[in-house]
Amino acid sequence: MGWFWADPVPVAAQPPAGHPQFKAGMAPPPGCPMHQESANKLAVKDTPPPAAPAPPSSCPMRSDDKAPEQSKSIMSQLNPLNYMFPDLSQKRAPNQKFALPTTREESTIPKGSGDGTWEYPSPQQMYNALLRKGYTDTDVTAVESMVSVHNFLNEGAWDEIVGWEKRFAKGLYNGWKVCRRGEGHVQEELDRTWDGVEVEPSLIRFQGRPKEMTPRAAMLQVLSWIYPSQFETEPPFDRHDWYVSREVNGQRKEIRYVIDYYSGEPEADGEPTFVLDVRPAATPQGSAERIIRWSTDVWWKAIGGDKREQDPQPFFRFNNPKPFG
């Protein structure tokens, strides 16, 4: 999953409206130490090049000298499930004076392979990952708190994805029926339309893409420049793509979700908050789901749906001078 860290940003930013906020004891540090070990680790082996032909007698190179081995690229060393080094050590780093726990916490996120749930890194693994990525100035005494924030936000992101899956895993029409009365009545509609089959998504793999801004985030930046009083917000400090397994007609289908991570308004006591903008990627299927969820909520509020349910009135009043009055 998207095990992440990022550069701290000003906390006075206004996040996009309508997204859940998560607060923690401290802001995450730079980088994105995605860490999960997997059964599908890369097994990259160096194959030495063929021996060079014997040089002329005038050349100082001897015939038994070996050519230098080809170096492995960074991408070839990464786990394809999470784009992270597969061998994060639990050993204390050189010159590390403060001991860190090596215990790992289980997440609630099922693996796409069906082999249990994804596992969070230990504080020692997180610290080693940060060092390996070049963040040598990381405060070792703060790593345990970093891991706690990291785990908490990932659980929040998965809850949002499960919400999308409950709405649309059984098709667009079923999703419309669940969403038609707006966000405030989703649980009622889920109970009403439940067919006895639970939606059970799982996470196949994830990828951190902090340097690639999503079109939605870019649009919000343009709007914040044009209407700063309404849309002012700092750019997201991180972006992840999570690939989720969804069962469609008895077959598993891969659905990509996009997550933008924003810093929100701090709490009254100064604690930072975070906003997660979670939605399906803008594929034809994902775009349809996003349009249905957004438009039904807007329409329900625009027609005063809750008030109409409490006091039913004809939508058109032909005997009234004001037909919509």
Side-chain angles (χ1 to χ4, degrees):
M1 59 190 289
W3 321 132
F4 61 88
W5 292 111
D7 293 320
V9 294
V11 294
Q14 292 291 337
H19 296 285
Q21 296 194 19
F22 303 88
K23 71 176 186 176
M26 62 182 302
C32 180
M34 293 158 27
H35 57 74
Q36 177 61 43
E37 295 181 352
S38 167
N40 296 327
K41 294 179 180 178
L42 292 180
V44 180
K45 298 183 179 179
D46 288 330
T47 302
S57 58
S58 60
C59 180
M61 181 184 293
R62 301 190 307 274
S63 61
D64 58 346
D65 285 341
K66 296 181 179 179
E69 293 185 350
Q70 296 177 351
S71 60
K72 293 182 289 187
S73 69
I74 292 296
M75 287 303 296
S76 71
Q77 302 176 53
L78 301 183
N79 185 335
L81 292 183
N82 53 23
Y83 293 85
M84 187 56 196
F85 298 104
D87 56 342
L88 291 181
S89 174
Q90 293 274 28
K91 295 181 180 179
R92 182 179 294 200
N95 303 320
Q96 178 184 335
K97 298 180 180 179
F98 184 82
L100 290 171
T102 58
T103 55
R104 303 181 66 178
E105 180 183 343
E106 285 283 341
S107 75
T108 63
I109 305 173
K111 290 182 179 180
S113 62
D115 183 22
T117 59
W118 290 85
E119 194 174 28
Y120 291 122
S122 69
Q124 185 63 62
Q125 286 180 313
M126 179 69 77
Y127 184 60
N128 290 339
L130 288 166
L131 294 180
R132 196 163 182 175
K133 284 179 172 285
Y135 301 107
T136 55
D137 59 346
T138 301
D139 182 3
V140 66
T141 62
V143 173
E144 288 189 68
S145 297
M146 296 175 187
V147 172
S148 297
V149 174
H150 167 275
N151 299 354
F152 178 70
L153 290 180
N154 278 283
E155 292 294 326
W158 183 247
D159 286 343
E160 286 293 296
I161 289 175
V162 170
W164 279 96
E165 289 296 302
K166 286 183 176 179
R167 290 167 171 83
F168 295 103
K170 297 177 182 179
L172 294 177
Y173 178 63
N174 186 80
W176 174 80
K177 289 194 296 183
V178 171
C179 297
R180 60 186 172 180
R181 295 172 62 218
E183 289 292 296
H185 298 277
V186 166
Q187 190 57 53
E188 296 175 39
E189 296 301 323
L190 284 172
D191 295 339
R192 182 182 303 179
T193 59
W194 189 57
D195 58 2
V197 179
E198 289 288 348
V199 173
E200 297 181 351
S202 57
L203 181 61
I204 302 172
R205 66 185 189 277
F206 50 88
Q207 180 182 11
R209 304 170 66 181
K211 296 181 180 180
E212 301 178 44
M213 184 175 291
T214 62
R216 178 184 174 95
M219 181 181 67
L220 287 174
Q221 292 306 300
V222 173
L223 290 174
S224 68
W225 178 70
I226 300 174
Y227 304 106
S229 60
Q230 293 182 321
F231 296 97
E232 183 177 3
T233 178
E234 293 291 330
F237 62 76
D238 202 0
R239 175 235 174 125
H240 273 203
D241 288 8
W242 290 16
Y243 296 82
V244 173
S245 176
R246 173 190 296 179
E247 185 172 339
V248 179
N249 298 324
Q251 295 183 343
R252 284 286 171 177
K253 183 178 180 181
E254 185 176 282
I255 306 296
R256 180 165 65 96
Y257 281 87
V258 179
I259 309 171
D260 285 323
Y261 300 91
Y262 293 87
S263 290
E265 288 286 351
E267 295 291 317
D269 57 4
E271 285 192 0
T273 62
F274 304 94
V275 178
L276 308 185
D277 186 358
V278 183
R279 70 274 187 196
T283 60
Q285 173 80 20
S287 297
E289 294 176 4
R290 290 160 67 167
I291 290 171
I292 289 173
R293 184 172 179 179
W294 174 79
S295 62
T296 51
D297 187 55
V298 171
W299 173 252
W300 185 258
K301 292 176 180 176
I303 66 172
D306 289 338
K307 184 177 180 180
R308 286 179 177 276
E309 285 189 338
Q310 296 172 4
D311 183 21
Q313 296 288 336
F315 195 79
F316 293 96
R317 297 182 181 179
F318 297 103
N319 59 347
N320 192 315
K322 297 180 180 179
F324 297 97

